[in-house]
Each structure stands twice: as C-alpha cells, then as structure tokens.
Amino acid sequence: MVRNRCTSPVWQATAPVLAVHGGAGRIVPEELGAQRAAAARRGLSQSLAAGMTVLRDGGSALDAVVAAVLVLEDDEQFNAGRGAVLTAGGGVEHDAAVADGATRRAGAVTCVSGIRNPVLAARAVLERTPHVLLSGTGAQELARREGLAVVPVDWFVTARRQQQLAGIRPSDRAEPEFTGGTVGAVALDIEGHLAAATSTGGTTGQLAGRVGDTPLVGAGTWADDRSCAVSATGDGEALILSVFAHEVDALVRLAGLHLGAACQRALHETELRAGTGGCIAVGPDGTVAMPFTSAGMFRGAIDATGDPRIGMFTEDNAC
Ligand code: ASP
C-alpha cells in the first residue's frame, strides 16, 4: 500500500536558506530501490551545495536558485535538461521559469528543445526582454542570441526515458517506475530577498505542445519578498487549475496564514481538482515548508548552519 502525504512540520531556518526538489509522485522505498535512492540523495545534496556556495558568498537568491537548478538539469536521473521525459512522439519539450521576489518579476520558457539548460533561458527572458514567457522557436532564438549552450535534441534523450515511454519496466520490478523528477529551488538570501526556479520535461507521453504548471508564473513558480517563494511539482493540470503557487502567496499575504498552513491549504485545492503533488516554499523569516500529497517527494533544504536535510519518502523527517 502506498501512503500519501507528508505532514511533518515546517522548519524554522536561519538566512541564508535554500530548499530544492527533484519531483513528487509515487516515490516509495520498495519501488525506488537503494541505488536510485542513493543517486537521488547525491543529486539533491550537490544541488544544495551549489546553491549554498552562492548564498554564502553573498550572492542573490536568484543566483542561488539558478545554480541549484543547473545541477539538477545536468543530472540525467531528474526530469529536466538531459534525461527529461519524452512526449508521445518521442520528442523533448522543456519548460522552465524563474521568479525574483525583490522585483516581483519573472521569466519563463515553454516547449523548447535544444537549449542545454532551460533555466538559463528563463533567466534571459527575465533579464534581457520585456516579456514574461517565451515559447518554442522564439525562446530558442533568444537563447542563441544570448550565447547559451545549444545542443542537438538527441543529446537530451536517454535509454531509460525511451523505455519508460514504451512502457518497459526494469527487469527487477513489477511496479511501474516513478517517471517524474521535475526540479526546483527556492532561496532566501542574506539581504532578505526571495527567489524561485523550476524546470521540467513535463509528463511522460504528453501531447506535443502541452504546457504544464512549471513555466506558468503563479501556478508552478512564484516569488514575492512580502510573502514567499514557491516551486511546485506534481499533476500539472491540477496545479494550473488551482493557480497553486499564487494561492500559497495569497493565503500568506492576504489571509495571514502561516507558510506551512498555506501550502497545505493550496495542496488541498489541487486535490479538489483531482491532482496530487508537492512544493518547496520559503518565507522572508526563513520558514521552510516542503509538504506533498503524493506518495513521496525528492526534497532537501539547508540554511546558515550548513547541515543539509534531505528526504524522499513520507516517513523521512526532512521537514
Ligand atoms: N508539474 C510537472 C508538469 O506537469 C510535472 C511534475 O512535476 O512531475 O509538467
């Protein structure tokens, strides 16, 4: 039986603070296996280290979330960058977003293939254009103009994702494999600014052109220094319909809820739209929440004390 939902309390962390996720879904010990669990733990801890190095050096929350997500995009076990899931036709379509709580601005790209690190393209939209969201060829053109690394689409495709698309299970496993692995990061820097970043390949076998919550500002990604930074993962359609990340913000900023309670309430709204998922969120006071309604979520957090907390299953007491 798969037990859903993490009800562990929030963590009161000390600035600078960074939290990362590597996707929510059916992540349970007996199906994941020790090897994949160890690899996920390694990836999360490398991502935390990269982002925290930036924050410790006095870098901005925005620099930190981009650094943390870059590591996860380059790690092919996660559903972002190389190793992302494939569309129904076997194609690659990446989505990514960044949100800057200091300026309350955001940048995002959707349906791009060929940009090695989509999170950098999202940042380019934020910093180098008057726009918020660029799609497909327009986003790829911007990436080229900005000198970002562009690679052939085949470079992103791994044998594991091709097998998942074909419905082939690893030989040692009767249960379907966890196919998610969207990545994200949220941070609070020493200046008190918040930022969020999320990156994904979407869902296995999605129709070409499908857009999930990740690049939709207010659904999968959000940051406002007055309230919180949020990066979501899970059933994208339900997260879009519940305007998830903005719902967390509104519950904190307008309704005065504590960040942990706001995340739980927003996840409940997502459940009302028949979706499960999770999020990582950080507030301006250093509160970290990492709740989920799915069976598990790859997640980790670190603060000024430097002790990383990493979890993946319901019973892990990461926060
Ligand atoms: N939310 C992502 C999407 O719908 C998928 C995920 O987080 O697993 O594109």
Side-chain angles (χ1 to χ4, degrees):
M1 192 192 70
V2 175
R3 275 196 302 130
N4 284 18
R5 189 177 296 281
C6 172
T7 52
S8 40
V10 294
W11 177 36
Q12 189 52 58
T14 307
V17 182
L18 175 73
V20 300
H21 73 75
R26 194 182 162 96
I27 301 170
V28 287
E30 41 304 359
E31 290 170 24
L32 192 66
Q35 223 176 336
R36 273 207 71 201
R41 186 170 287 277
R42 221 170 19 249
L44 292 168
S45 96
Q46 285 165 355
S47 169
L48 286 173
M52 201 27 129
T53 300
V54 171
L55 290 170
R56 275 219 197 86
D57 289 349
S60 70
L62 185 62
D63 287 337
V65 293
V66 169
V69 165
L70 273 175
V71 170
L72 297 170
E73 282 184 342
D74 283 344
D75 186 335
E76 65 179 62
Q77 68 183 305
F78 296 106
N79 174 19
R82 180 172 153 78
V85 302
L86 305 177
T87 65
V92 174
E93 292 188 359
H94 291 132
D95 296 336
V98 297
D100 180 15
T103 57
R104 294 197 277 275
R105 292 199 62 233
V109 294
T110 185
C111 297
V112 295
S113 4
I115 303 172
R116 181 182 165 145
N117 289 110
V119 72
L120 294 179
R123 186 172 190 167
V125 174
L126 165 68
E127 292 180 335
R128 311 283 294 172
T129 81
H131 308 305
V132 172
L133 176 60
L134 279 189
S135 69
T137 49
Q140 283 155 210
E141 194 40 52
L142 173 74
R144 254 187 222 102
R145 265 203 320 273
E146 291 300 318
L148 302 183
V150 173
V151 291
V153 175
D154 285 355
W155 181 83
F156 296 103
V157 180
T158 60
R160 177 170 156 249
R161 295 305 190 185
Q162 284 176 319
Q163 284 162 3
Q164 282 176 354
L165 183 64
I168 300 166
R169 289 174 194 174
S171 51
D172 58 340
R173 200 158 300 158
E175 298 291 344
E177 206 188 353
F178 168 61
T179 58
T182 291
V183 306
V186 293
L188 166 68
D189 63 30
I190 46 175
E191 307 282 342
H193 298 307
L194 298 172
T198 317
S199 184
T200 189
T203 56
T204 301
Q206 68 183 14
L207 293 180
R210 178 253 183 195
V211 179
D213 57 299
T214 298
L216 301 184
V217 178
T221 310
W222 183 262
D224 185 329
D225 277 4
R226 295 172 297 175
S227 55
C228 55
V230 180
S231 172
T233 171
D235 293 323
E237 280 67 17
L239 290 162
I240 293 170
L241 291 171
S242 56
V243 201
F244 177 81
H246 184 263
E247 180 85 352
V248 175
D249 165 88
L251 288 167
V252 171
R253 190 166 47 84
L254 304 175
L257 260 65
H258 190 264
L259 184 63
C263 291
Q264 296 282 356
R265 278 274 290 275
L267 282 172
H268 178 63
E269 286 298 321
T270 304
E271 278 185 307
L272 294 179
R273 286 146 181 97
T276 63
C279 72
I280 49 171
V282 62
D285 65 347
T287 304
V288 177
M290 304 196 285
F292 50 91
T293 51
S294 44
M297 182 168 79
F298 292 129
R299 59 200 188 279
I302 190 167
D303 76 347
T305 58
D307 239 355
R309 304 160 161 237
I310 291 175
M312 43 199 80
F313 310 121
T314 305
E315 40 284 313
D316 290 336
N317 194 16
C319 149

